[in-house]
Amino acid sequence: MEPKSDRFEKVMDLARRRGFVWPTAECYGAVAGFIDYGPLGAMMKRRIEDLWRQLYVIQEGYYEIECPTIGQEAIFIASGHVKGFSDKMCECPHCGEYLRADHVAEGGGVAGAATMTEEVLAEILSPLPCPSCGEILGRVGVFSFNLMFQTGIGPGSQRKGYLRPETAQGMFTDFTRLLRFYRDRLPFGTVQIGKSYRNEISPRQGMIRLREFTQAEAEIFVHPNEKDHPFFSRYANRAVPLLSIRQQQEGLPAEPMTMEAAVRGKVIANEYVAYYLAVTHEILTRIGVRKDRLRFRQHLPDERAHYAEDCWDAEVLSERFGWVETVGIADRTDYDLRAHEKHSGESFMVHIPLDKPRTEVRNRVVPDMGKLGPRFRGKAKSVADALETAEPGPDGVTIRVGDEEIAIGPDLYTVRDEVVEVRGYDIRPHVIEPSYGIDRMIYMALEHAYDEEVVEGEVRRVLRFPPRIAPVQVAVLPLMARDGLDMTAREIATDLGRAGILAEYDDSGAIGRRYRRQDEIGTPYAVTVDYQTRDDRTVTVRERDTMCQVRVPVSRITEYLSALLSGREEFPAAPA
Ligand code: GAP
């Protein structure tokens, strides 16, 4: 059974009540794994995505692309998803619920269940209770279930398609065009934010495990032997809590380490991976993830994909769910490009020009046309062309002409040493991939921001969001909806809106109640127009966290709030 957590219930209750997150199509009975973002949730999501863009698109210079969410089968055969993108499941013999076998095992205290075989999992599950009905599972069959949603493209469904399980594949299949866009130079990157779909077996973890969710992924294409990030110094001194393979094996906790030290000490494989660990640390802490509830865990050898050079998860601590993988950062080598190259027939090699051309002695195969002509007749030219690019051994070489394989003896060609000028060489790029789950980021931002305290005998619930992700940035409240206070408040709200600040005008109910409502939705500042405003043209600005207030001239209010929201100015500290 999942442990009950008060905080999760409280956060989700607030999120539903105040219009952050709702179950989808509730009127028909909601289906697990789908959520709607309400007015405030959709705005908060946009703000988090924009912060992500600020770093990846504006700072890093990786342009965003947008590919379809449905892909033809060939893409996912090449990527390996058709064959291998599955989780192990079983069916409870008592209540008929489908269960994710490794999660049930882990719930029963078994570590490393995700990498176990079906047979071993079946053994392990038999004494454990079903998380749904509580009955002991007994002997159950465990089998693999592919997580992709399948669909048909066009009438008659002759063409199989899938809803994409990650945004990444579009960035690989567009590689050749991207390379040209970036003027044939490495390194370059591209990003995509959009929906991904996974038919999760039993998504019972709120916003953490969804069947339709948003990913923000970057694919950074680099030279295989040049994995020093050109701007590494930006983050070299940033200390990030790391839980390396060694620390996990020795049962040690995560320890902060600078990215410089981690790369030099070979804890992190290269500067690129370290750089994006640090960028991720920056993004997560800027959306309000608490530093003491964030760590970066390195994949253990048995959980890391066989082709990956290094792989880390940013894990965020949730009271109910424990450490939750929220971002994955991997050096995927050339696995993806190689796979698409093989299946599509297109070359994904990049030509690297040398700064200075150099000379090299190379073997050149010179076909003997006097012998090839009579022997191969009409095919002789094709045989000669194939021979010129072949690498013969002492006994000759086998070449391919069309569908035919032809063995050619050493009497049909000569090999000469030739001095050639080399102006460049071809490589297949490696891929560094930071992959963010936006919905998990939103849940963690909500959970970590949630706070309650007793103020004047009443519970005050507050979302202590950093101003940049708060859906409503300023509340504008006339003390009374009359005597011209409402007019002035509306004028202030309009001015703030013109400056690009989302200001909510609210004149309903007692002022204390209005403050509480704004605290609950995380609005960082409230402007109150009161009777003093009529005398001296000043208003109060109240800060959400301290509830302190300062008076500011109406003529300065837009400039002052802009400065507060952008962090250029700080709200005066509360008197000691
Ligand atoms: N292209 C790599 C990739 O997709 P992943 O670890 O499977 O890697 C990346 O997914 C991120 O997407 C995860 O760290 C997580 O935040 C998010 N994610 C994955 N499955 C999810 C689900 N069912 N519901 C919500 N978020 C999910």
Side-chain angles (χ1 to χ4, degrees), residues 85 165-168 198 200 207-211 213-215 217 219 313 325-328 332 433 435-440:
F85 193 59
E166 57 177 16
T167 64
R198 299 183 188 179
E200 298 284 354
M207 299 168 68
I208 302 294
R209 196 163 300 281
L210 295 168
R211 289 178 165 139
F213 56 100
T214 299
Q215 285 187 314
E217 297 193 288
E219 307 300 330
D313 287 341
E325 175 208 330
T326 306
V327 183
R332 298 178 57 87
E433 180 189 73
S435 172
Y436 294 66
I438 295 288
D439 311 85
R440 290 187 186 179

Side-chain angles (χ1 to χ4, degrees), residues 69-113:
T69 54
I70 296 178
Q72 53 179 291
E73 188 182 28
I75 300 170
F76 302 109
I77 291 177
S79 67
H81 286 94
V82 168
K83 209 166 169 198
F85 193 59
S86 50
D87 281 334
K88 297 188 185 77
M89 65 174 279
C90 64
E91 187 181 349
C92 173
H94 311 289
C95 66
E97 183 84 9
Y98 292 115
L99 305 168
R100 176 101 180 244
D102 56 329
H103 285 180
V104 180
E106 272 160 15
V110 177

Side-chain angles (χ1 to χ4, degrees), residues 453-479:
E453 59 189 0
V454 176
V455 177
E456 292 165 7
E458 263 191 55
V459 177
R460 178 174 96 111
R461 289 181 197 84
V462 51
L463 286 174
R464 298 190 192 278
F465 287 143
R468 72 161 49 248
I469 68 153
V472 176
Q473 294 169 299
V474 177
V476 186
L477 317 171
L479 189 65

